[in-house]
Amino acid sequence: MAQQPWQYFPAGSAAGKTDAKPEIWSKPADWQKAIDNHKAATAKLKQVALTGDLAAIKAQFGATQQTCKACHKDFRKD
């Protein structure tokens, strides 16, 4: 699912009702970096989950969650 949300923000989709900040479209490099950070964190979470080490899974889950929060802080109107 970490691969899916990005498809809903193509260039030119800023018009209309959205909870997205205009920075998604005005700062595409920053937006892409946030996407890449989230994808990397979720990929690492998948790898850590395969170990079965609950402490490591919890730690990586927290790190992954932080990428969500960071992106929402910078790119979502609240």
Side-chain angles (χ1 to χ4, degrees):
M1 293 184 81
Q3 307 299 321
Q4 295 180 352
W6 325 116
Q7 67 185 328
Y8 300 110
F9 302 98
S13 65
K17 185 178 186 266
T18 181
D19 288 331
K21 290 182 178 177
E23 284 82 352
I24 285 178
W25 300 278
S26 67
K27 297 181 178 180
D30 293 345
W31 172 240
Q32 188 61 53
K33 183 177 178 183
I35 292 169
D36 293 344
N37 288 343
H38 182 69
K39 287 181 178 181
T42 56
K44 186 172 180 181
L45 177 58
K46 181 179 177 181
Q47 291 298 318
V48 171
L50 293 173
T51 70
D53 179 345
L54 187 56
I57 294 167
K58 286 181 179 182
Q60 185 55 40
F61 183 84
T64 302
Q65 187 179 33
Q66 290 304 310
T67 66
C68 298
K69 288 181 179 183
C71 191
H72 282 214
K73 177 181 161 269
D74 293 340
F75 297 105
R76 180 180 171 153
K77 297 174 191 172
D78 286 326

